[in-house]
């Protein structure tokens, strides 16, 4: 008996959507990257401030912050603008915090000196995987910001650590699928976001049984798929930075 | 050579802190539980509203929401009150969302009818593991609220699903330790929160390399430890509900 | 003709509900008290900050602030959480200010040195009289915080003044009743909150004709009843502190 | 031995400042009054909305709300504008609530029909007693709004009750003084605000030992003085309404 | 054929409403002016702070800020109070910014020294032209504040520049009309606000085709009318300041 | 003597920067345009909601709203995100309102039926003229949204009116210059934004003497230059829509 499961966009279950990483997308920030995972498009920037927040003052260390946001017209149905509502949604906060933690795993704050790097991930078009695309693109913007700091001569050592990338995996109709677009994400039984380093270690693992729970075997299969996806993404990051 | 690693409170690495679950802690909400994981104490309540939010109207289904909050004096250093700051912190939002998703895995919304259950987890004293204690205690409060709904005769079927419990695991000086108090949590290399069902399936897995990354072997060891911890917690929930 | 007026809980008109004051309710704040007036239960804490707000800087004096809050599940019908609404209700502000003024009457700021004591009164269960229970319990927490400051050796003199306690009195169907539970409070013609010192002086007198006005004779009868109630409460405070 | 106590403005201790009540101060609201207690000047308006808030819908009754505000330039030192700060201060909330309760004692909501009267008290110039001047002026604006409602023919009965007025009394250097200007208010040992009806009943009594406590004899002396002050104010209200 | 166009209040198309400028309207701010354009009445104050905002620190220069606000009862239908809504409307922001820019054209910040002047324009009664009345009145309040600064001896030179005044012009049924009251303003095809100096230069020109567009000839006719209006207003300002 | 004035980018004083209008920039909104005026880049979208706000209900007419925002990394120095600050800046409000008024001049609301078009202008990169680029690009997005409404068959008539475009003009060192980049804008003596229709009528004229005032002759010269600029922009809009 043949398995008749097919994905709406015809991909294999372990296949990423086409990934594009465009450096120098805008020119004001020290690093500016447009990252695309299929139809998902995020503008990731890394801005330099040559000072640190109060809690890092006189520590000799730097800091990295991150903010994520959806443009109101990024989604299929327009969403109210958070600045007009006067408050940020829990989801936005949660993703901003995830991006911050993930990128701090890619920078040696001690080598950064008393500088702050502000990561901004603004989603221009959303089709699933906006947080994983954000992390993946932000690493490249971060690398460009570190280069700029070196050019300014304010760094002694090398704060940039090896790449960090992120991908989503889910279970759809019982099949483990890599890199979910919105249509799949919204009906996945399980949704796992994984952030990994070049050496294959985990930075973050966030799995949620959205419509059902998952067992250890499924978790293992999802982690295997994510590891392969992250390796591809790290190759794309390195190619973009070499370009 | 002997391993000289010992935990500050003398527990074995795979040992939970003493867990206490007190039902009927207050009398106004339909369910009210004081849950204690060692010195961590959370008041978990489940309040009934016999209506649903707009997006569930005329769906025949119910809904469950959750809010988590720290009392300002719960922590070692008093923290500013979020109502006075005029906004909720990202961490609070994130934990509220986690509790909501976890408890929705323990309720059949279709069987709940057009009723809403509002879970409130207010931390009276914080010593690590407040989110996992919250989830564990909230299940018991939820069970009592379902009983109250039945008493009112507004339910036809049985919406309550088998227990869901949560525990934290971390890596301290290279050792996998179960149920971290604040002192361990703040210096753990890795921190993993796991929400599981009685049957041993995962509802949520959230692992973060706070001060370092973690490999597959470490993740597996942490998941094993968490599974054992959740099984203990579910036994405690069942005992409390039987009491 | 006999007067057939009886209170729902069978108390005499000049009788307090059972009062319990539990010290050391939680361990992080310098003072932590659970106060109970019948079914009303408030967690009152006193936290120490070894600095003062800007307007007291270099004054040689200390300061005392107070915040009052209801947990959302404290009331019969769950109330929306103020932190989620993004603003504090007028009633909350008003009671916080009352508690602050009342407790400042129990502390010699000049003897406190440049330290701040932050009082938090969080209502776990509400059944009328939450503001008067808060003041009464907070005095005991304040006393414990002063003891802690002495232990730290940061005080020269004695900042703690004699006890301050508070009670409500109301007119129900023409009868002056002491210490109103919610059921009486909501239908009282007049509601008077009185804060008094051990020597029988007034710190605050707040009387409101909620459903009607009141004449001088009624005011006098209410003040007499309140004075007796406060004396009982001060005895309970002293007993708790001696314990 | 003669008592050498004199007030800065030369008044007798039981003497009000000059009181002026100007009706028709502006023309858009149904009632608009400028009230002056010495240099304190408040614009009190009563606006009609021919509907009621949700909680009064289909009750057959009306409602009355009140809002108090200081113009930023009303005080000696300019104060930040509350709309720009994004939140209302506790003091503002507290006084708004006091004005609302006091004026609701002067209106029979059942006779008002399903109409709402919105009282606004905007302080143009502050020199102590702004809340008592507000209540006193607002009654006159309320009376004019009721007249307007009658003119529109939407009332059957007479909702306006006899006058309500308010005055402050304080203890300065041990002397009971009526109607405190800012300079006295800020150094008074005790500050009492009293709201009374024409028949001499109390609507509100709010006494605070700002810099010390007060005994029963002092309270009685203050109440006597306040009663005389309110009687004068009610005469002024009636004269203005007759004018 | 005669043109039968007449204005509701009988004015000629190029005629201002009666303008009154009352200095010393209140006494706490350094400058306090009540300005009236017909039934529009605005209290304009200029308060002195002997310091500057951070971005002007150590610049040797001063600063001028402005805030505009409508009292809730100023309009025909009562409007919600912005402080209670928790946010300021776009229109309010826009007018505050216009007043600030306009008045900064009337002050030499370099001659002001490190002092800040805070302009407040609070509309007591609104009948069109509140922003132009505000600017016109605020100049007079500013002049009085500069006089006060000189009296304090904190100024070396003369920061006050020649008068700035503002007027509105509109096209009503094809006719260019000066100084629109609310009734005209709300149905004008075009609305132009012009801020001019004594020498006839423009500080601001803001024209909006509210219900239609306008051609160059109409713009020219409106500018001519505005110039004549501003000249009249400047004469009134000078007369008030000479008084 | 020759005039040696040259612009930093070598343009003639009456020359626009290169203008690019890219339709279909993103795919979720009904209209999505990337507009570029030199280095200024704005994403302008038009989203359809098949309902109207309350004040238009049952009017048979539609509505158009607009929101403008700068991405935090759009400017040379990163700016704090308005959603995180919890409030929108006055400048943002002001530009949103200008865009809304301008685009409502390009739509016949009566022909739109009870539909709302939400315009969003999000600045990806800012180099002066962001509001004029926004208006110019938004017209094209609006045209595409109207086409989509027709495709859905919900329109009877033709709501789209002829093009509206906007440009800035300023006086730099006494020279009237068209379409100011940031470097010129920040030091211009006068700054004029003009919104015009295809027939050469004005929709909005907003001129500000930022660092000085301007006379009638300068205003006329600026208006002439703006008219030529708008004509070029309208040609570009028509070409883009024909493409």
């Amino acid at each position: 008996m043949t398995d008749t499961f097919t994905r709406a966009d015809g991909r294999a279950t372990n296949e990423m959507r086409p990934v594009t990483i465009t450096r120098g997308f805008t020119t004001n920030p020290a690093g500016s990257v447009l990252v695309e995972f299929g139809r998902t498009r995020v503008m990731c920037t890394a801005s330099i401030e040559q000072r640190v927040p109060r809690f890092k003052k006189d520590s000799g260390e730097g800091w990295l912050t991150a903010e994520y946001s959806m443009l109101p017209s990024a989604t299929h149905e327009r969403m109210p603008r958070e600045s007009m509502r006067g408050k940020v949604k829990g989801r936005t906060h949660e993703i901003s915090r995830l991006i911050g933690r993930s990128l701090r795993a890619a920078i040696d704050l001690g080598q950064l000196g008393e500088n702050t790097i502000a990561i901004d991930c603004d989603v221009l078009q959303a089709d699933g995987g906006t947080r994983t695309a954000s992390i993946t693109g932000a690493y490249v913007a971060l690398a460009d910001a570190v280069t700029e700091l070196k050019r300014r001569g304010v760094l002694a050592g090398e704060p940039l650590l090896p790449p960090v990338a992120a991908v989503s995996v889910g279970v759809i109709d019982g099949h483990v699928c890599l890199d979910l677009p919105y249509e799949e994400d919204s009906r996945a039984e399980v949704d796992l976001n994984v952030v990994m380093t070049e050496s294959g270690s985990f930075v973050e693992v966030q799995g949620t049984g959205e419509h059902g729970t998952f067992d250890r075997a499924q978790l293992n299969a999802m982690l295997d798929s994510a590891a392969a996806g992250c390796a591809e993404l790290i190759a794309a990051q390195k190619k973009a930075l070499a370009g």
Side-chain angles (χ1 to χ4, degrees), chain A residues 98-134:
Chain A
L98 170 65
I99 298 172
R101 286 195 309 270
S102 298
L103 273 293
R104 281 193 291 273
I107 191 102
D108 180 338
L109 296 175
Q111 297 293 320
L112 186 57
E114 293 207 359
N115 298 294
T116 298
I117 293 180
I119 300 291
D120 286 288
C121 296
D122 285 278
V123 180
L124 305 187
Q125 186 166 281
D127 186 28
T130 60
R131 78 188 72 187
T132 53
S134 293

Side-chain angles (χ1 to χ4, degrees), chain A residues 21 23 31-33 103 135-145 236-238 240-241:
Chain A
I21 297 175
R23 286 164 69 200
S32 175
V33 163
L103 273 293
I135 291 166
T136 304
Y139 177 80
V140 178
L142 173 62
D144 281 336
Q237 289 172 325
K238 293 173 87 164
L241 284 167

Side-chain angles (χ1 to χ4, degrees), chain A residues 20-135:
Chain A
T20 317
I21 297 175
T22 307
R23 286 164 69 200
F25 181 62
T26 59
T27 55
N28 285 326
S32 175
V33 163
L34 180 73
V35 64
E36 298 169 81
F37 280 22
R39 282 166 32 94
T40 286
R41 274 199 263 168
V42 187
M43 173 170 154
C44 305
T45 60
S47 302
I48 294 169
E49 291 177 273
Q50 289 186 215
R51 63 174 178 278
V52 283
R54 189 175 310 207
F55 72 95
K56 279 288 183 184
K57 224 155 229 158
D58 303 320
S59 69
E61 293 202 339
W63 189 239
L64 180 148
T65 65
E67 288 176 10
Y68 164 96
S69 184
M70 282 264 201
L71 295 201
S73 63
T75 44
H76 191 70
E77 294 288 307
R78 182 184 183 276
M79 291 188 323
R81 197 177 282 270
E82 290 184 323
S83 60
M84 296 302 288
R85 296 173 66 234
K87 48 183 170 176
V88 167
K89 294 198 296 185
R91 179 186 177 275
T92 299
H93 260 140
E94 197 170 307
I95 299 178
S96 293
R97 285 159 53 86
L98 170 65
I99 298 172
R101 286 195 309 270
S102 298
L103 273 293
R104 281 193 291 273
I107 191 102
D108 180 338
L109 296 175
Q111 297 293 320
L112 186 57
E114 293 207 359
N115 298 294
T116 298
I117 293 180
I119 300 291
D120 286 288
C121 296
D122 285 278
V123 180
L124 305 187
Q125 186 166 281
D127 186 28
T130 60
R131 78 188 72 187
T132 53
S134 293
I135 291 166

